[in-house]
Amino acid sequence: MKALVPSLTFEQLINVLSFTNIATAVHVGENARIEFANQAMLNIWGRGSEVIGKGLGEAMPELTGQPFIEMFAKVWREGITISGNDTAAEIMVDGVIGTYYFDFEYRAIKDADGQVMAILHTAIDVTERYLNRHELEQASQNKRLLIREQSLNEQLAAANEELAATNEDLHASREELSRTNAQLERMVEDRVKALVESEERFRSMADNTDVLIGVRDETGQLIYFNKAWSQLSGRTGDQLISLGWHDLIHPLDKQRFLETHQEAFNLKISYTAEMRLLGADGSYHWLLKKGTPRFLNDGSFAGFISSCIDITQLKLSEQKLQDINEELAASNEEFAALNEELAATNEELAESNEELLRSEARFRNLIKQAPVAICVIRAEDLVVTDVNEGYLELIGKPRNQVEKRVIWEAVAEATEIYSPIMQQVITTGIAFHGREHELILNRNDVDETVFIDFVYEPVIDSRGKVTSIMVVGNDVTDKVLARRKIEDVEERNRLAIEAADIGTYELSYENQSVIGSDRFDEIFGVTSPVSRAQVLAVYHPLDMHLSDQAHSIARKTGKLFYETRIIAGNGNVKWIRLHGNVHYDPEGNVKKLLGTVMDITALKQIQQQKDDFISIASHELKTPLTSLKVSLQLLERMKSSPTALLPKLIDQSNKSMEKISELVEELLNVTRINEGKVILNKKKFDLAHIVDECCGNIIHLEHHELIVGGERKLDVIADENRIQQIVINFINNAIKYAPLSRKIFVNVEYSDNSAKVSVTDNGPGIPEDKLPYLFDRYYRVDSKGVQASGLGLGLYISADIIERHGGKIGVESIEGQGSTFWFTIPDDDQANTESL
């Protein structure tokens, strides 16, 4: 028999962890006190073993102001995991502050109670990888800038050609405008001469031209406008004469034009001006206006004649040309700046290419020395070009079976699932991150189920093509199995709590905040998290002190227990029971309380019903026993000399004994029901006849009349005595609880393959909120027992009897209108005896 191998001690386990190539440390507390750090972690920190036992901030002051110390505190407080990739950190190594990049993880490690007991810190220095990738990205960006400059140069050449063509068009337009102006001047002069000769001929000519023509007399008064003026301004000739048109001039042109016009009028000379005029279409039109003085044959001044042509399109063309010139000037400046930037970029690109060659050598060396599993696979044929010892150890294969071979020959067991994924990374250029993937690896000729964190990272060249796939992996099997074990325990605890309908909560003594489960929130009618004061607000005013008293004791004993009443949102009072355990900090101060809460309202009601039942049973038994005792004492005295009172005392004694027997029989029936010892003796009998007999045997009918209706003959198969017991109980209840109901109706009918018996009174009825509980054990509508005697067991026993017959029992009642109690017995042709 082989000797048992002893478990590793804590020191041995720490010694084993110190040999791992992955930088690993263990911290405790919100200040991240260092309990353990292997050499790989100390190398990253640039520190020696003197940091062990110190808080992270004390050991590495340069981390102050960086997020890492607060991350540790958050992980410790909340029991979570924080990780990051390519995360920058300012660390002092050999007395020099430098920027380094890490892939790291801060993971909370919990004990069996779910409390954080330590933080596992792992890190990988990826500085060189990050800088190499950054350099590659910079080189790619430089190339994109070069391509962009070439494109801009081509666009600039095209723009210059377009500008030249536009300038030619503009020159031609200006020549055409000059010819038009000259022609207009000639036309105006000719028309002025013709006007002197014939005004009628002038008007006919003016109204049929597109030129806007207007005439003023020697005083400046407007006397004529042609149709072109009316069409442009939207005013009639008479309106233009009376109102004028100066109000239609653009505000920016109005003052300048009026000054020019008035000066020419005063000097009796010609003038030319440009202005914008508001047209009938709601837009401004550019007009070129020519004003010419008129003289009579005797040389006297006769006024002014003016002509306007619409030059809006010409103005728009000029503006467009001006915009193009300004845009071209800006583009020229931008191209000049880009040329300078491109020259500098080319120089940097040359230097980057040289550095890239050196980086490739460093990259290959980094792969070999990396503390994680790394494998580089050529994209075109999936041949492994570089692989480190960590990867060989991860897959359990020697180097000669992996290096320079197709990857799927080396790990054939993973081909089916991961070959399509790798191909997708090559096709799309998008990295694939696998978290805790479960797979079976053939390690050293043995199949093992492992959990791996890995990345398929595409390496992309300057043309955007994926040239290689870098696989980075980490075996997290132990971590996954440990977490699943914890999750299984937590799930079992959760299911047990939910099955018990228990609410859970956590109270912080520091800030008096409460975080509860869904059941906790449901019981108290709150939404977590809430303050303790909000929870106490729903306590019954008479029980407000109970919480403080219980917590005062719990601070000393560590255990909390008390029962209290709360007032629900609908105003109902509920009973709850609270348990809890107090947790202390290392200094012995109370920190928090973890507890449970249970709604025990139903339990309290049952306890109250039992107490009421005991009180009622005692009272019900005491009355006939007292009467019997008195009768027996009197009989004892007169046994030697009987008197006329003797028969009455004997009758009274018999009645007391009958009452006691009835009460005892009810108690025995309940006991038999609970113990399953009641026997139903079924047989065939006439239900209508039995109901008649019951009505005939009821006593105390001086103030009531029983009216039996329905079927006169109805055979059923049932326990005759038990059915009689139910009918008598229904009738007695009607007599007791409806004393003012003169008539009580008993009905027998057959429907839905069942026989039905109902007893109806016209009494006070039963409140609706009490109807669902009438057939419960010990329940009495009059809980104080002031209306009628009884133990509250009759309806409970009746319901059990009917249920065992396979029938139904119920009640219908409206307050102030009476009640109807009924039961049904299914039609069963096979008589049998059922053991209960």
Side-chain angles (χ1 to χ4, degrees):
M1 182 176 180
K2 293 183 179 180
L4 294 176
V5 178
S7 300
L8 294 177
T9 65
F10 175 75
E11 291 76 10
Q12 291 172 329
L13 182 59
I14 292 300
N15 187 45
V16 170
L17 289 176
S18 67
F19 285 98
T20 180
N21 290 330
I22 297 177
T24 306
V26 178
H27 306 258
V28 297
E30 289 196 20
N31 65 344
R33 186 175 74 247
I34 303 168
E35 293 294 318
F36 164 77
N38 64 3
Q39 189 58 45
M41 183 63 79
L42 295 176
N43 291 342
I44 285 178
W45 290 344
R47 302 296 197 279
S49 59
E50 71 277 0
V51 300
I52 303 301
K54 296 182 180 181
L56 191 60
E58 180 184 358
M60 304 177 71
E62 66 270 22
L63 293 181
T64 301
Q66 300 186 54
F68 305 105
I69 295 177
E70 178 56 31
M71 286 182 185
F72 272 103
K74 183 177 180 66
V75 172
W76 179 264
R77 290 192 303 266
E78 301 180 11
I80 61 176
T81 296
I82 296 178
S83 61
N85 294 321
D86 295 340
T87 302
E90 303 290 333
I91 299 178
M92 179 179 289
V93 178
D94 297 330
V96 178
I97 292 290
T99 301
Y100 299 85
Y101 298 85
F102 299 94
D103 290 348
F104 72 93
E105 181 179 86
Y106 302 155
R107 179 171 293 276
I109 306 301
K110 301 179 181 179
D111 58 18
D113 295 330
Q115 300 300 310
V116 177
M117 64 179 182
I119 300 175
L120 178 63
H121 173 195
T122 58
I124 300 172
D125 188 339
V126 298
T127 304
E128 190 164 359
R129 182 189 77 190
Y130 175 84
L131 295 178
N132 289 339
R133 186 168 69 247
H134 182 70
E135 291 173 356
L136 289 173
E137 292 173 354
Q138 186 63 41
S140 177
Q141 182 179 3
N142 291 338
K143 182 175 181 180
R144 289 195 297 272
L145 289 175
L146 178 60
I147 295 173
R148 180 186 174 194
E149 181 185 10
Q150 293 174 349
S151 175
L152 289 176
N153 286 333
E154 294 175 357
Q155 294 177 8
L156 178 60
N160 286 333
E161 293 178 1
E162 182 179 353
L163 180 61
T166 303
N167 285 333
E168 292 178 1
D169 293 342
L170 180 61
H171 181 69
S173 298
R174 289 187 179 276
E175 292 180 353
E176 179 67 22
L177 181 61
S178 297
R179 290 193 295 272
T180 301
N181 286 337
Q183 181 180 3
L184 179 63
E185 290 179 0
R186 289 193 299 272
M187 290 173 60
V188 171
E189 290 176 357
D190 293 342
R191 288 175 181 175
V192 169
K193 292 178 181 178
L195 181 63
V196 174
E197 297 173 356
S198 175
E199 183 176 348
E200 289 295 329
R201 191 169 58 196
F202 165 75
R203 289 181 180 275
S204 176
M205 178 187 66
D207 286 341
N208 289 281
T209 183
D210 293 334
V211 179
L212 281 69
I213 298 175
V215 180
R216 294 178 183 269
D217 62 14
E218 68 276 10
T219 65
Q221 177 65 39
L222 295 168
I223 59 175
Y224 172 75
F225 287 93
N226 68 348
K227 291 181 180 180
W229 260 108
S230 298
Q231 291 173 354
L232 178 67
S233 65
R235 296 178 179 177
T236 64
D238 292 340
Q239 290 175 330
L240 286 169
I241 292 173
S242 61
L243 301 176
W245 53 271
H246 290 169
D247 60 307
L248 301 178
I249 301 175
H250 194 287
L252 298 179
D253 301 339
K254 186 174 183 179
Q255 184 64 33
R256 174 176 51 81
F257 169 76
L258 292 178
E259 291 176 354
T260 300
H261 169 76
Q262 190 61 45
E263 182 180 3
F265 192 89
N266 294 336
L267 297 176
K268 301 178 180 59
I269 59 176
S270 299
Y271 70 92
T272 302
E274 293 181 357
M275 61 178 175
R276 286 166 288 183
L277 191 75
L278 181 63
D281 58 2
S283 63
Y284 281 97
H285 296 254
W286 277 99
L287 299 179
L288 176 63
K289 188 174 189 301
K290 177 74 174 181
T292 303
R294 293 189 301 123
F295 297 94
L296 300 178
N297 292 333
D298 58 2
S300 60
F301 179 62
F304 255 76
I305 183 171
S306 64
S307 61
C308 300
I309 59 173
D310 191 331
I311 58 171
T312 303
Q313 292 300 321
L314 180 62
K315 281 291 186 179
L316 293 176
S317 298
E318 289 180 349
Q319 183 62 43
K320 182 177 180 181
L321 182 60
Q322 181 179 355
D323 293 341
I324 292 175
N325 287 331
E326 293 176 355
E327 182 178 352
L328 184 60
S331 298
N332 287 333
E333 294 178 0
E334 182 179 354
F335 288 146
L338 284 174
N339 286 331
E340 295 177 0
E341 183 180 349
L342 183 59
T345 300
N346 288 332
E347 295 178 1
E348 294 177 359
L349 185 59
E351 296 176 357
S352 297
N353 287 333
E354 295 178 1
E355 180 62 27
L356 187 59
L357 295 175
R358 294 192 295 271
S359 296
E360 184 176 357
R362 290 198 301 269
F363 174 67
R364 293 182 179 276
N365 189 49
L366 175 65
I367 291 176
K368 294 180 180 180
Q369 299 180 10
V372 295
I374 298 178
C375 175
V376 180
I377 303 167
R378 194 162 53 223
E380 59 182 355
D381 54 10
L382 301 182
V383 171
V384 177
T385 59
D386 294 279
V387 62
N388 67 357
E389 293 298 329
Y391 189 84
L392 296 174
E393 181 181 352
L394 175 65
I395 65 175
K397 302 288 193 305
R399 182 175 294 275
N400 61 358
Q401 293 183 11
V402 179
E403 197 168 37
K404 308 308 179 185
R405 292 178 177 270
V406 175
I407 183 62
W408 303 125
E409 294 178 2
V411 284
E413 60 270 28
T415 305
E416 182 178 356
I417 297 177
Y418 295 100
S419 175
I421 296 176
M422 183 177 292
Q423 189 59 47
Q424 184 178 11
V425 173
I426 295 173
T427 303
T428 63
I430 300 174
F432 177 81
H433 295 262
R435 298 287 295 175
E436 298 181 359
H437 276 230
E438 180 179 0
L439 67 154
I440 299 176
L441 288 178
N442 186 267
R443 291 174 163 178
N444 303 316
D445 297 327
V446 178
D447 289 342
E448 297 182 21
T449 300
V450 296
F451 294 88
I452 305 294
D453 284 350
F454 69 93
V455 178
Y456 286 168
E457 184 69 36
V459 180
I460 303 174
D461 62 13
S462 59
R463 295 170 297 175
K465 180 180 179 182
V466 176
T467 60
S468 301
I469 299 294
M470 184 168 66
V471 183
V472 181
N474 188 26
D475 189 341
V476 294
T477 304
D478 293 340
K479 178 184 70 176
V480 172
L481 295 179
R483 189 187 69 245
R484 287 186 176 181
K485 184 176 180 180
I486 293 173
E487 289 174 350
D488 289 343
V489 173
E490 291 178 346
E491 180 64 13
R492 287 196 296 270
N493 290 339
R494 184 186 65 80
L495 292 175
I497 290 173
E498 289 181 355
D501 203 23
I502 296 174
T504 60
Y505 67 96
E506 177 180 331
L507 166 65
S508 171
Y509 281 110
E510 181 179 358
N511 57 20
Q512 293 292 292
S513 66
V514 179
I515 300 176
S517 65
D518 292 342
R519 179 57 178 157
F520 175 91
D521 292 353
E522 180 183 352
I523 290 174
F524 284 99
V526 298
T527 302
S528 294
V530 295
S531 66
R532 179 168 176 258
Q534 289 176 277
V535 176
L536 291 177
V538 303
Y539 274 45
H540 193 286
L542 299 179
D543 294 350
M544 293 290 290
H545 63 288
L546 296 179
S547 178
D548 289 337
Q549 289 179 356
H551 279 282
S552 177
I553 297 172
R555 289 171 183 268
K556 301 174 183 178
T557 64
K559 300 292 183 180
L560 176 85
F561 175 81
Y562 69 101
E563 295 178 353
T564 183
R565 291 169 292 177
I566 62 173
I567 300 176
N570 57 8
N572 293 337
V573 176
K574 297 195 297 187
W575 276 93
I576 60 172
R577 177 181 295 159
L578 296 101
H579 289 270
N581 291 327
V582 178
H583 293 257
Y584 304 86
D585 61 18
E587 288 74 28
N589 300 316
V590 292
K591 182 179 181 181
K592 62 182 178 181
L593 181 139
L594 299 179
T596 61
V597 60
M598 179 186 296
D599 187 338
I600 59 171
T601 304
L603 178 61
K604 285 289 186 180
Q605 291 174 346
I606 292 174
Q607 290 176 347
Q608 184 62 46
Q609 288 176 1
K610 285 184 178 180
D611 293 341
D612 292 343
F613 168 72
I614 293 172
S615 175
I616 293 168
S618 299
H619 174 76
E620 292 294 330
L621 288 171
K622 184 178 180 181
T623 300
L625 284 174
T626 301
S627 177
L628 179 60
K629 183 179 180 181
V630 172
S631 298
L632 291 175
Q633 288 175 347
L634 293 175
L635 288 171
E636 176 67 24
R637 293 178 183 176
M638 66 175 62
K639 66 181 178 180
S640 57
S641 54
T643 67
L645 189 59
L646 180 61
K648 184 178 181 180
L649 291 175
I650 293 175
D651 289 340
Q652 186 173 341
S653 298
N654 288 331
K655 290 179 181 178
S656 297
M657 286 301 298
E658 289 176 1
K659 182 61 175 177
I660 293 172
S661 297
E662 290 176 2
L663 295 174
V664 172
E665 182 63 23
E666 284 192 6
L667 293 174
L668 289 175
N669 282 333
V670 173
T671 303
R672 293 190 190 103
I673 291 172
N674 292 335
E675 296 178 356
K677 295 181 180 180
V678 176
I679 303 298
L680 287 185
N681 297 315
K682 290 185 178 181
K683 64 180 181 180
K684 189 172 184 179
F685 63 91
D686 185 353
L687 179 61
H689 177 69
I690 291 300
V691 171
D692 284 337
E693 284 188 354
C694 292
C695 294
N697 293 333
I698 297 296
I699 59 175
H700 308 302
L701 288 177
E702 294 86 352
H703 303 290
H704 296 83
E705 178 184 358
L706 294 180
I707 300 174
V708 180
E711 300 286 345
R712 302 311 302 166
K713 181 175 178 57
L714 181 58
D715 290 337
V716 296
I717 298 175
D719 188 320
E720 181 177 352
N721 292 331
R722 298 294 184 185
I723 299 303
Q724 280 185 322
Q725 180 182 349
I726 297 172
V727 174
I728 292 173
N729 181 265
F730 278 9
I731 296 173
N732 281 334
N733 281 345
I735 293 172
K736 288 189 291 184
Y737 291 100
L740 301 180
S741 176
R742 174 64 182 172
K743 295 181 179 181
I744 296 176
F745 301 90
V746 183
N747 191 59
V748 180
E749 59 181 317
Y750 183 86
S751 63
D752 297 331
N753 297 322
S754 296
K756 181 177 181 180
V757 178
S758 59
V759 177
T760 303
D761 64 68
N762 297 318
I766 303 171
E768 184 178 358
D769 60 334
K770 297 183 183 296
L771 292 175
Y773 309 104
L774 289 179
F775 299 97
D776 291 351
R777 182 169 48 180
Y778 310 131
Y779 187 81
R780 291 161 58 92
V781 174
D782 178 19
S783 58
K784 297 182 180 179
V786 297
Q787 285 188 358
S789 61
L791 298 178
L793 297 174
L795 292 178
Y796 167 71
I797 295 171
S798 299
D800 184 78
I801 292 171
I802 294 301
E803 180 180 352
R804 294 175 190 276
H805 277 84
K808 296 180 180 179
I809 191 169
V811 59
E812 300 164 1
S813 180
I814 300 177
E815 282 193 90
Q817 299 183 23
S819 305
T820 297
F821 283 82
W822 56 267
F823 69 85
T824 64
I825 301 173
D827 188 359
D828 186 359
D829 293 333
Q830 296 181 357
N832 59 75
T833 300
E834 178 184 358
S835 297
L836 304 179

